[in-house]
Amino acid sequence: MKNLVEVTKLPCTRNVLIAGFLRNFAGCIVTYYLPVFFGKNFPDFKAKYALINAAILSIGGMFASVVSGLMADKLEKRSYWAKGAICCIFQALSIPLLCLTTAGTSFWPSIIAYAFYHVAASTYVGPGVTMMQNTAPVSLQGNCVSVYFFSITIA
């Protein structure tokens, strides 16, 4: 408990933890709602949705995390705000993509919009964790990462 208090005293870590929790909470809502949406609106595509959704979540999520981390590391040399900007820009971009996902009247445009939504929304972890590690003392870095993953898990 002492380490949790120490971690939340750091402003960057506290803000990343709160934002990560809220972002993951919203992601859980989307994860639970979209199968119902696709099943109700496109009942002939249930099997295809299951397979494509699995590919989007695994491949798209890994791709987004790796690429956003590499982008953040490269762009940080130009601006100290690069990591935060990547998080903010891509999370903001994910909102209209989610709207396009649920506004579609055809399966394929909806699933393509969902794929882009998931890639945009998955860019948070790499830059977020790195921001915490860059601003926390070495003695608290492991605790920061542990608390981050705990907070997004309980979302």
Side-chain angles (χ1 to χ4, degrees), residues 94-118:
S94 69
I95 295 168
L97 290 168
L98 184 60
C99 293
L100 286 173
T101 299
T102 56
T105 57
S106 177
F107 176 77
W108 292 109
S110 289
I111 201 77
I112 290 169
Y114 171 59
F116 282 110
Y117 156 78
H118 187 70

Side-chain angles (χ1 to χ4, degrees), residues 7 14 21 25 42 51 63 73 80 96 102 111 113 119 137 145 155:
V7 166
R14 181 180 55 247
F21 175 83
F25 185 73
F42 311 112
L51 182 63
F63 170 79
D73 290 342
Y80 188 70
T102 56
I111 201 77
V119 168
V145 174

Side-chain angles (χ1 to χ4, degrees), residues 23 57 60-62 64-65 68 91 117-126:
R23 183 219 153 293
L57 292 175
M62 184 180 78
S65 293
S68 66
Q91 297 314 300
Y117 156 78
H118 187 70
V119 168
S122 296
T123 58
Y124 187 83
V125 176

